[in-house]
């Protein structure tokens, strides 16, 4: 499925995998994020951190009128403030969708799928 954007020059179809890659890249750049998690961990039989090529398993994209709604499933590092990390994810995802793809995010829902103890955060 793709998100359709109409402009004065015609119609643009952006695949969900492209949006998921942009969203996943934005989310994993945030301090305190260990990685992306699968939205259906039991069905996908994945209990690990997703690699870049599988970000679409951790992002759900829905088209609402002319905007999109995005659900992001993440794993956070132990010792970070969860509410602050989630707010940073929302802001960065909205900014990246607007600047890279030219689409507005109606809502960005962040679901913390786990907390992981890591050695030392940078």
């Amino acid at each position: 499925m793709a998100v359709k954007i109409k402009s004065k020059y015609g119609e643009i179809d952006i695949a969900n995998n492209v949006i998921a890659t942009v969203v996943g890249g934005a989310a994993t750049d945030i301090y305190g994020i260990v990685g992306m998690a699968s939205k259906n961990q039991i069905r996908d039989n994945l209990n690990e951190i997703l690699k870049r090529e599988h970000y679409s398993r951790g992002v759900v994209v829905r088209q609402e009128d002319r905007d999109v709604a995005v659900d992001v499933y993440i794993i956070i590092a132990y010792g970070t403030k969860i509410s602050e990390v989630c707010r940073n994810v929302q802001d960065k995802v909205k900014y990246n969708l607007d600047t890279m793809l030219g689409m507005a995010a109606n809502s960005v829902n962040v679901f913390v799928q786990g907390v992981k103890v890591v050695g030392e955060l940078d």
Side-chain angles (χ1 to χ4, degrees), residues 57-100:
R57 290 185 181 171
V59 177
V60 176
V61 180
R62 295 179 311 278
Q63 186 166 8
E64 296 176 348
D65 297 327
R66 294 168 45 196
D67 299 330
V68 294
V70 179
D71 296 340
V72 184
Y73 295 83
I74 58 173
I75 298 174
I76 292 186
Y78 178 78
T80 57
K81 189 172 181 181
I82 294 174
S83 62
E84 197 63 35
V85 172
C86 292
R87 189 174 302 113
N88 290 340
V89 169
Q90 289 174 328
D91 291 341
K92 182 129 187 194
V93 166
K94 282 186 176 186
Y95 176 77
N96 280 10
L97 284 176
D98 186 37
T99 57
M100 290 183 182

Side-chain angles (χ1 to χ4, degrees), residues 29-50:
D29 282 346
I30 302 293
Y31 175 82
I33 300 290
V34 176
M36 300 288 295
S38 175
K39 62 186 172 282
N40 297 318
Q41 290 181 348
I42 295 172
R43 189 188 76 197
D44 291 342
N45 199 18
L46 289 174
N47 197 15
E48 70 242 11
I49 298 169
L50 297 175

